[in-house]
Amino acid sequence: MKYSVKDITLASAGKLRIEYALREMPVTRLIRKRFEAERPLDGITVGACLHVTTETANLVITLKAGGADVYLCASNPLSTQDDVAASLVTHYGIPVFAIKGEDDDTYYRHINAVLDAKPMLTMDDGADTVGLIHSKRRDLIPGIIGGTEETTTGVIRLRAMENDGVLAYPIIAVNDAMTKHMFDNYYGTGQSTLDGIIRATNILLAGKTFVVAGYGNCGKGLALRAKGMGANVIVTEVDPMRAVAAAMDGFAVMPMEKAAPMGDIFCTVTGDIHVIRKEHWAVMKDGAIVCNSGHFNVELDIPALEEIATAHRTVRPYNEEYTLPGGNNVYLLGDGRLINLASAEGHPASVMDMSFANQALCAEYMVKHHTTLSRKVYAVPDFIDAEVAKLKLAGMGIEIDTLTEEQVKYLASWQEGT
Ligand code: ADE
């Protein structure tokens, strides 16, 4: 079996952590059990480009239990857990091509290695696989039945492809399932981003000014959690609706130009490019900590920082000190890559359980229904979203009410009033 991992001897440590994460993934466990019995993915080769974590391991093991031949590479050069990669190869017979800290050439070589397996179904986090297939590996298109996409940034790219009429096969936007973005983006990003910042800095958040750029689901979760740790939160936004929401949630809202000299900690979660630019770096306080938790490392203009900095050194893992012309030091975390996966372990298993349950069920749906789908980005079918919520509740041991007959009738009628 061909594979490319950092150190295969890390496998035992990885297996322990994969099994431990599964404890918090009851929905995935149930799906795996059904997949083992029904084998809905028999004969399907899956090319997965996801963050190689303990949670992803449990997803790909589940896909394999369902009969799929799974090949896995990383969806970010800095997010791989090398022990997990080693264990997937050693204990689960899944070819993995991912090394934490790989350079861009290796990153794309690894995606190409997965594509060499001629996947029939692509499973992306950020749409890099789809991008490569549509540019340099078009020969694979006739063999592909469909794909799934995990994240907001990827879905934005795919919708742009659909609008330009170039998307060559149907893709389900897993990110847009309610059981994905309402929990993963909100609770997951909120907690794991603070975890990443704390591991890279050991900073006390209480009393600090914490600037959150972007008030989508990720930004909302992050602002909430930073406030919960005692920080004074400033939100920057470009969308008036979201800015109103941030203000009414009790946060200070202002342009980055005003926030830049005020912040002790900055984190971008916008999905856009150069949210923190030269003019912002230049006015930051001494000691300012800056990171990104959006999918790509373009939200911070790092070349501009490198251009104006007079000195640079690594002070801790994932923490680089840059000296600005006036003598202030700013601290860039994780090379501007998503800090929750660069210096921490990504979202906790309990929340990835729902995201990856959607992935597994959407893969099954695509196999069953691809002949009726066209070259579009599709929403996750409602029944899958509802099923994931139901299974998660069961997994959490929570019971809820059901409508009485009278209530069903009332909700369906328009005659009743005061
Ligand atoms: N994205 C965010 N957190 C993740 C995790 N733990 N595993 C895979 N993808 C993620």
Side-chain angles (χ1 to χ4, degrees), residues 51 53 55-56 125 150 184 340-341 345-348 352 356:
H51 301 298
T53 64
E55 294 75 28
T56 297
D125 186 333
E150 170 76 7
D184 170 316
N340 60 338
L341 282 141
E345 294 170 60
H347 305 349
M352 293 312 295
F356 285 164

Side-chain angles (χ1 to χ4, degrees), residues 184-246:
D184 170 316
N185 302 26
Y186 186 67
Y187 298 104
T189 306
Q191 178 167 323
S192 64
T193 300
L194 291 192
D195 185 12
I197 292 170
I198 291 167
R199 289 197 208 192
T201 61
N202 197 25
I203 190 109
L204 181 77
L205 292 170
K208 297 290 193 308
T209 298
F210 194 117
V211 181
V212 177
Y215 205 64
N217 288 304
C218 294
K220 279 184 183 163
L222 179 56
L224 178 80
R225 292 303 179 224
K227 182 179 171 185
M229 294 287 277
N232 299 308
V233 177
I234 296 175
V235 171
T236 70
E237 246 305 338
V238 292
D239 180 312
M241 204 72 76
R242 290 181 173 181
V244 172

